[in-house]
Amino acid sequence: MKKDIKKPAAENPYKLSDLKTTGIKKSAAGVPAVLAVVSDLFEEGVPVRGTKALFKMNQRGGFDCPSCAWPDPDDDRSALGDYCENGAKALAEEATTKKITADFLKNNSVYDLATLTDFEIGRLGRLVEPMYLPKDGTHYQPISWSDAFEKIANHLNRLESPNQAAFYTSGRTSNEASFVYQLFVREFGTNNMPDCSNMCHETSGTALLPTIGIGKGTVRLDDFYDTDVIVIIGQNPGTNAPRMMSALEKGKRNGAKIIAINPLPEAGLMGFHNPQQVNGLLGKGTSLADLYLPVKINGDMALLKALESVLFEFEKKSPGNVFDQKFIAEKTVGFDAFCQQFKKYQLEDLARDSGIDESSIRQAAEMLAHNKRIIFCWGMGLTQQPNGVEMVREIVNILLLKGSIGKPGSGVCPVRGHSNVQGNRTMMINEEPTSAQLDRLKKVFGFEPPRKPGHDVVRTIKAMQDGTVNVFFSMGGNFLSATPDTTYTAQALRKLKLSVCVSTKLNRSHLVHGEEALILPTLSRSDLDLVNGEVQFISTESSMGIVQSSKGVLKPVSDKLMNETQIVCRLAMATLGSRSVVNWQRYHNSYDAVRDDIEKCIPGFENYNIRVREKNGFYLPNAAREGKFITEKYIDRAPFTLTSVPNNTLAPGEYLMATTRTHDQFNTTIYGYEDRYRGIKNERRVIFMNQQDIDEAGFVNGEKVDLFNYDDGIQRVAPLFIIVAYPIPKGNTVTYFPETNVLISINNVVKESNMPAAKYVRIKIKKHDPINLG
């Protein structure tokens, strides 16, 4: 019992396994992906139940994949199943029939559970009933739904101000649940709505909204099939959005060229063995990247400027044949000032700062110069850098020069990582809603919504730390493991009066908690959702702005689960009572009722209930896709943006570290210990290093080391990592998250978007000292 008084671990236990390296793979998917899917279904004990669900995932009349936000094809979905390896793993996780019962939690303290790894915690099974951890308690115990809502309501109503509460949202939350959630939070009286966008693509929206008039991508899948050049920068489709590779393959076969820009030579950028085609399974597959540019960490801006510099050179030699001068004159502003900046840049300097030789830069520029239909794709390799907003705007600059936006086969494509993260934002899950959004809520519902901006993720953590946020409600997700500065964030969470998590499975955020804690178990995306005897469907939005229905097919593992929409409605009724002007019971009983009111509040959702039932759903309006750039400052003109090249000089013994995920995880969910494409097996605590750096520092491949960060004058330590020699630019390192989130200062953020800069962390590396294990 004595050990239960100790604080549970905020991080994964420091356990090393028998690391095996199997060589870097040169292509993704194929037979190994198929075998991995089968293996995962058997490991979860659901080969029949899981297979049944797989044939309904991403199919019309079925359910949307709970993993990434890549869109479904409009007209050519495979009858074999339109899913990827990671989507199948996500399904196996939620289709499992393993259960975390009240008896299990009675026999296992919070402290004991925290000694497990994230992988071991995830394998325990589904949550099956509401659980409560009382003040000074050591074990979670059962609680009724009514009592759980009463406890939350009492805490919320005791607050001196609604702004002392924060309400987090994970990307998997449906449109319907997201809408009622933000409605409740705003009627309660706050805009404190941090969400997972604050950690992934807030940068994209911040960059795009003032430049092209919309914070989303402008392309459709069809654009990938018929384009000239696809540039993929800071994104790894083989692991982060595997279904994207099918679109790349189709575009490649139709003549597109692909430029891959990334510090690591990822398999998903190089080749693809399509598991739904004989040639993909048994043949050579499809080669993807025509040109790979191994850019330094944060050398992307220098590279983009270098490409522009060469394009200017080409345009000078052949006026009007490289730049789209008509488009520039009619659709942009600021071109002259943009041109002037290149007088101060030398290609030699930009090449050095980017880590790419001049010959390769010229080769890439040639591919852009002589083609008009260009798509730029990016992921968190760009958005999680300190100047990520500026780099996205620099991408827009290139497309404006070429006139390659707002036309077929052209545009921007931020690759969203979590299913419906884009839909959450469309449903007004936003700590800084616009006046127009709030005015519509007031007009439809009759209450005055709060106008003061709320807290994003980083500001929420700081508010918990300084005691100005006392209640934290998390709609899905694993907040602790997803956020930066793990020790700081854990301290902040422990200062809360109450922490509440709506979840399908146990995770570390349930084990590092406030004085009191509640776990509310909910239905998964694949679960059959019955309300008053009627099967319900939800809706989601893909990364390309397609809204479609999603209907679960699996019998839930417990009759004590509640869907997210009903959880919000029950919470609203318990908290607001008679002072509410919203008919929560109506929403509680019908998703159609929710959609009827979404239609009244959010442009683009006209006839929502009719159009969402159509075969492929519907596209939301996107003026930039049609070549109309309507920003706050300009009408139908996109501005060129002036940016700067950062100074990334390193101190002696210092390295830049970027975090990434393995092929055996999705966000913070760990499926296993094999990063197959990078050749890593049985271990996660590894650091990829350049061989020359290893030699110069006096290390050897396979050596155990400790990692340090000293931002803010604080020593942060991530102990016990294994060095793995890897083809990565000199001075750069890569590690897996969440293991190294502890090294990311809460103050290391992206300028303007305030996102954690997890792809730009200055570290030092020392030989392992057991004292650092604590």
Side-chain angles (χ1 to χ4, degrees), residues 129-134 140-158 167 184 471-473 497-502 516-521 560 562 566-575:
E129 62 181 307
M131 304 302 295
Y132 171 60
L133 184 68
Y140 275 100
Q141 58 195 44
I143 186 172
S144 70
W145 278 104
S146 295
D147 287 348
F149 291 127
E150 183 179 354
K151 281 189 179 294
I152 302 169
N154 288 340
H155 272 276
L156 291 174
N157 287 326
R158 283 201 302 263
F167 299 84
F184 158 64
V471 175
F472 182 67
F473 190 101
K497 295 298 182 183
L498 175 69
S499 54
V500 184
C501 295
V502 177
E516 296 177 71
L518 282 160
I519 303 174
L520 306 181
K560 294 182 179 180
M562 189 178 294
Q566 290 186 323
I567 289 173
V568 174
C569 292
R570 291 279 299 274
L571 176 59
M573 288 186 281
T575 304

Side-chain angles (χ1 to χ4, degrees), residues 387-666:
N387 59 335
V389 170
E390 285 200 338
M391 288 195 289
V392 172
R393 289 176 180 161
E394 203 64 46
I395 286 172
V396 173
N397 286 340
I398 292 176
L399 294 174
L400 294 180
L401 289 173
K402 296 294 299 173
S404 300
I405 187 167
K407 299 175 181 177
S410 307
V412 293
C413 181
V415 183
R416 304 277 180 173
H418 205 165
S419 177
N420 210 43
V421 62
Q422 187 161 297
N424 294 166
R425 185 54 58 90
T426 302
M427 292 295 109
M428 296 186 285
I429 298 290
N430 190 344
E431 76 279 1
E432 292 191 50
T434 66
S435 294
Q437 289 175 321
L438 296 177
D439 289 344
R440 284 192 291 269
L441 286 181
K442 181 179 179 180
K443 181 179 179 180
V444 172
F445 295 101
F447 70 86
E448 180 61 58
R451 302 281 170 166
K452 180 183 176 182
H455 296 319
D456 60 14
V457 163
V458 168
R459 294 186 182 97
T460 293
I461 296 169
K462 290 182 176 181
M464 293 177 191
Q465 185 69 258
D466 66 24
T468 55
V469 162
N470 303 124
V471 175
F472 182 67
F473 190 101
S474 180
M475 181 64 76
N478 182 355
F479 189 79
L480 174 65
S481 295
T483 49
D485 219 340
T486 309
T487 302
Y488 179 92
T489 301
Q491 290 171 349
L493 286 166
R494 288 178 174 130
K495 291 182 178 181
L496 294 166
K497 295 298 182 183
L498 175 69
S499 54
V500 184
C501 295
V502 177
S503 306
T504 57
K505 302 189 77 174
L506 197 69
N507 63 54
R508 199 161 296 277
S509 292
H510 304 135
L511 309 177
V512 177
H513 48 76
E515 286 184 3
E516 296 177 71
L518 282 160
I519 303 174
L520 306 181
T522 191
L523 297 174
S524 70
R525 188 73 63 76
S526 58
D527 285 336
L528 191 66
D529 189 353
L530 284 171
V531 177
N532 295 330
E534 290 188 22
V535 177
Q536 301 285 315
F537 70 85
I538 60 168
S539 56
T540 60
E541 179 186 342
S542 76
S543 60
M544 293 182 186
I546 307 167
V547 177
Q548 61 185 9
S549 65
S550 174
K551 184 166 63 178
V553 298
L554 296 178
K555 181 181 178 181
V557 294
S558 167
D559 60 5
K560 294 182 179 180
L561 304 183
M562 189 178 294
N563 70 51
E564 292 173 320
T565 298
Q566 290 186 323
I567 289 173
V568 174
C569 292
R570 291 279 299 274
L571 176 59
M573 288 186 281
T575 304
L576 302 175
S578 61
R579 70 181 189 266
S580 177
V581 298
V582 177
N583 186 346
W584 296 105
Q585 190 65 51
R586 174 170 164 263
Y587 294 154
H588 180 279
N589 294 338
S590 170
Y591 291 142
D592 277 352
V594 179
R595 288 187 284 266
D596 282 340
D597 285 353
I598 290 174
E599 176 181 327
K600 298 174 185 176
C601 297
I602 303 176
F605 284 86
E606 296 78 12
N607 300 313
Y608 194 176
N609 269 313
I610 294 173
R611 292 195 293 158
V612 77
R613 286 175 163 86
E614 293 174 356
K615 186 172 68 171
N616 295 320
F618 60 95
Y619 282 87
L620 290 173
N622 191 317
R625 181 181 286 152
E626 308 303 324
K628 299 174 183 177
F629 311 111
I630 304 169
T631 67
E632 187 176 344
K633 290 185 177 181
Y634 306 102
I635 300 298
D636 205 15
R637 283 183 180 266
F640 282 94
T641 306
L642 298 179
T643 62
S644 58
V645 177
N647 179 0
N648 291 318
T649 302
L650 296 171
E654 191 175 54
Y655 305 87
L656 281 179
M657 181 192 79
T659 66
T660 190
R661 65 186 183 194
T662 77
H663 189 64
D664 229 0
Q665 79 180 91
F666 179 75

